[in-house]
Amino acid sequence: MMPSETLWEIAKAEVEKHGSSGGEGDGLEIGEKSVFFIGSKNGGMTTIILRCLDRDEPPKPTLALEYTYGRRAKGHNIPKDIAHFWELGGGTSLLDLISIPITSDTSRTFSLVLVLDLSKPNDLWPTMENLLQATKSHVDKMIMKLGKTNSKAASEMRQKIWSNMQKDHPDFDSEKRKVICKTLRFVAHYYGASLMFTSKSEALLLKIRGVINQLAFGIDKSKSICVDQNKPLFITAGLDSLSQIGSPPVPDNDIGKLHAHSPMELWKKVYERVFPPKSINTLKDIKDPARDPQYAESEVDEMRIQKDQELEQYKRSSSKSRKQIELDS
């Protein structure tokens, strides 16, 4: 009869087993990932995060940048995976905050979720374009800075960065729905992203939850697909193609009149013919959270009023001084 293994021997074998099957490149198993939600104001990002974390609580408005986290067990006596969830509030009015969650330390295990409100189709392209351009600009600067000290890591980061997009299911006439669906399919395919339409439907929320859990905890990716524009689209990254998406939905005799320098610009022009964008100023929320009554603090607010008055007084005195100098000269 063979002697049974001691607890120490079992633990040692378990560690060696996981050490030999770690992540590629450095042999370390990554246990933390970050998911960053950006998109339309009141687009439902908080609701999705709460469902992913099994939190039964009413969503609250996101004023700036919100953070929370979740844990998921991988197995018995194995440390839990941790997922960091970030949410940018204010639509396109707080683009400077994008640089906070996206850093060189988090970028290798980072996913971006773009949530767009299709009940406001005229705001869709400007919102999407501003958010993606701001994110890309920050990431490009970060990679350039990293490349000066570690060119290999910068190259790997550039190859791995991708987006995941989730949109609310549109309810328009068939032609307008066709323009929205085909355009978003092209944008998602262009960025190597998944595309999902959702609503308050329990079945759709469960599908979205599965995708977010894949991003946050690395579980198996769904292989299901739905490209029927009369149903909520569900297309996992890599399952769509340009041949399936087709050309921009515009008459053949009109497409030659559209002057574009890139495929993305062409799709933008076609989309904006159907849904002209509103003034960019209307997309920004001008409400100052510091003046929101739900965050009132008498001592802080009184000091704020005093400092505002001092600032105005300083501006007036500075203006008078400049005028006096001009007169003397």
Side-chain angles (χ1 to χ4, degrees):
M1 182 175 179
M2 295 291 292
S4 61
E5 292 181 297
T6 65
L7 183 61
W8 175 254
E9 290 171 334
I10 295 174
K12 182 180 178 182
E14 191 72 17
V15 170
E16 290 176 346
K17 173 184 174 183
H18 285 279
S20 62
S21 60
E24 294 180 3
D26 52 13
L28 297 175
E29 186 174 3
I30 298 172
E32 294 190 30
K33 294 187 177 183
S34 298
V35 183
F36 187 19
F37 286 77
I38 59 176
S40 305
K41 186 181 178 183
N42 300 322
M45 293 182 283
T46 305
T47 300
I48 295 172
I49 294 173
L50 291 175
R51 290 304 303 272
C52 291
L53 298 176
D54 287 326
R55 295 182 186 172
D56 186 15
E57 57 186 76
K60 298 178 181 179
T62 304
L63 293 177
L65 185 66
E66 296 284 347
Y67 167 80
T68 188
Y69 69 94
R71 296 171 184 257
R72 184 183 183 92
K74 294 188 291 186
H76 185 61
N77 288 335
I78 300 177
K80 293 181 178 179
D81 284 336
I82 300 175
H84 305 279
F85 292 91
W86 297 86
E87 179 186 354
L88 181 67
T92 59
S93 62
L94 300 170
L95 298 179
D96 290 344
L97 298 181
I98 286 176
S99 61
I100 295 176
I102 307 179
T103 67
S104 56
D105 293 329
T106 64
S107 57
R108 291 183 64 188
T109 57
F110 199 94
S111 295
L112 186 71
V113 179
L114 174 62
V115 181
L116 297 174
D117 183 0
L118 295 193
S119 67
K120 301 174 182 176
N122 299 78
D123 294 343
L124 186 149
W125 193 282
T127 299
M128 175 178 68
E129 188 173 50
N130 287 334
L131 287 168
L132 290 180
Q133 283 183 351
T135 304
K136 184 178 184 300
S137 176
H138 169 66
V139 171
D140 287 345
K141 291 178 183 176
M142 186 178 66
I143 293 177
M144 187 179 298
K145 184 177 180 180
L146 178 63
K148 295 178 180 179
T149 57
N150 191 333
S151 58
K152 182 179 179 181
S155 177
E156 291 177 354
M157 188 186 303
R158 191 176 288 108
Q159 293 174 2
K160 290 182 179 180
I161 288 177
W162 63 286
S163 306
N164 180 69
M165 301 184 177
Q166 177 271 329
K167 325 286 197 286
D168 198 10
H169 183 236
D171 184 19
F172 301 105
D173 63 64
S174 60
E175 286 305 311
K176 289 185 177 181
R177 188 184 301 121
K178 180 180 179 180
V179 172
I180 291 175
C181 292
K182 291 192 70 172
T183 300
L184 293 179
R185 284 179 66 185
F186 172 79
V187 174
H189 186 69
Y190 178 88
Y191 282 103
S194 299
L195 174 65
M196 290 141 275
F197 285 6
T198 188
S199 65
K200 294 182 180 180
S201 161
E202 187 67 22
L204 291 176
L205 285 173
L206 285 174
K207 293 179 76 172
I208 295 299
R209 178 183 174 183
V211 173
I212 302 302
N213 281 335
Q214 187 272 324
L215 296 175
F217 300 107
I219 63 175
D220 292 339
K221 187 182 298 186
S222 172
K223 295 294 177 64
S224 64
I225 183 171
C226 177
V227 296
D228 185 347
Q229 69 182 39
N230 296 310
K231 298 178 181 179
L233 297 186
F234 190 93
I235 309 169
T236 306
L239 296 184
D240 211 347
S241 67
L242 293 177
S243 60
Q244 291 177 305
I245 297 169
S247 59
V250 63
D252 292 338
N253 58 338
D254 286 348
I255 198 165
K257 301 176 183 177
L258 299 174
H259 301 288
H261 296 93
S262 67
M264 181 66 76
E265 187 178 354
L266 176 61
W267 279 88
K268 176 183 178 180
K269 288 180 179 295
V270 171
Y271 184 87
E272 291 183 344
R273 287 183 62 172
V274 182
F275 300 105
K278 296 179 180 179
S279 170
I280 190 64
N281 292 329
T282 65
L283 299 178
K284 295 187 177 181
D285 183 13
I286 60 175
K287 183 179 179 181
D288 184 357
R291 303 184 186 279
D292 193 319
Q294 68 173 317
Y295 301 112
E297 292 186 39
S298 58
E299 293 183 2
V300 175
D301 294 339
E302 289 173 4
M303 181 60 68
R304 170 69 182 268
I305 292 173
Q306 178 184 331
K307 293 299 181 183
D308 285 345
Q309 291 173 346
E310 291 175 359
L311 178 60
E312 287 301 317
Q313 185 177 357
Y314 173 77
K315 287 180 178 179
R316 286 195 296 269
S317 62
S318 297
S319 178
K320 289 179 181 179
S321 298
R322 284 197 300 270
K323 289 181 180 179
Q324 185 64 43
I325 293 172
E326 290 174 359
L327 289 174
D328 292 343
S329 61

